[in-house]
């Protein structure tokens, strides 16, 4: 990969959606779709360069469709394991993982990814 590769932003949908108690638990799929749509509209706030956004969904949110600007991946098992696999497969490309999950943050940092909390992509 080269320096011109866009930043790969991997978003932990369950963790970001779960960071605000707005009733998301009543419609997990709908909450993931709203997050996807906001990411498609806003990109990565505060980042001026090109980005590739991957929203990882699991459980009841599986099956959320990809839209222009956001690729949605349904984790076949653990969402955390799938995100670690995505980071491992990125090679030398710059990667940012958006999650508050401490164990996931540790795992992806070991692979060279940067990490940021849910507020990075979600209004407070």
């Amino acid at each position: 990969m080269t320096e011109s590769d866009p930043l790969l932003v991997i978003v932990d949908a369950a963790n970001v959606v779960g960071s605000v108690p707005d009733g998301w638990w009543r419609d997990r799929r709908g909450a993931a779709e709203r997050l996807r749509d906001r990411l498609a509209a806003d990109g990565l706030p505060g980042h001026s360069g090109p980005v590739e956004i991957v929203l990882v969904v699991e459980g009841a949110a599986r099956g959320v469709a990809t839209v222009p600007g956001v690729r949605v991946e349904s984790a076949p098992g653990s969402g955390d394991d799938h995100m670690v696999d995505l980071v491992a497969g990125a090679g030398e490309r710059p990667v940012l993982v958006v999650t508050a999950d401490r164990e996931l943050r540790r795992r992806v940092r070991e692979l060279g990814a940067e990490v940021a909390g849910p507020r990075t992509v979600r209004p407070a």
Side-chain angles (χ1 to χ4, degrees):
M1 295 290 168
T2 67
E3 287 184 23
S4 63
D5 287 326
L7 175 66
L8 176 59
V9 180
I10 301 170
V11 180
D12 182 349
N15 191 268
V16 172
V17 165
S19 68
V20 176
D22 61 1
W24 60 265
W25 51 89
R26 292 188 292 269
D27 181 11
R28 293 171 194 257
R29 184 182 178 118
E33 288 171 340
R34 288 187 297 278
L35 174 58
R36 174 206 60 199
D37 294 347
R38 187 169 50 253
L39 290 168
D42 298 344
L44 181 62
H47 184 79
S48 59
V51 297
E52 177 186 353
I53 299 175
V54 178
L55 181 66
V56 176
V57 297
E58 61 187 329
R62 281 190 185 104
V64 170
T66 291
V67 298
V70 179
R71 183 174 88 230
V72 180
E73 292 207 8
S74 294
S78 160
D80 289 4
D81 290 347
H82 190 68
M83 287 179 272
V84 168
D85 290 345
L86 289 172
V87 172
E92 296 298 314
R93 183 175 182 186
V95 180
L96 174 68
V97 177
V98 179
T99 185
D101 182 300
R102 286 185 181 156
E103 177 62 13
L104 177 58
R105 290 167 77 105
R106 182 195 63 76
R107 291 173 68 192
V108 298
R109 278 187 177 132
E110 287 178 354
L111 296 171
E114 296 292 322
V115 295
R119 289 187 186 148
T120 304
V121 297
R122 182 172 190 130

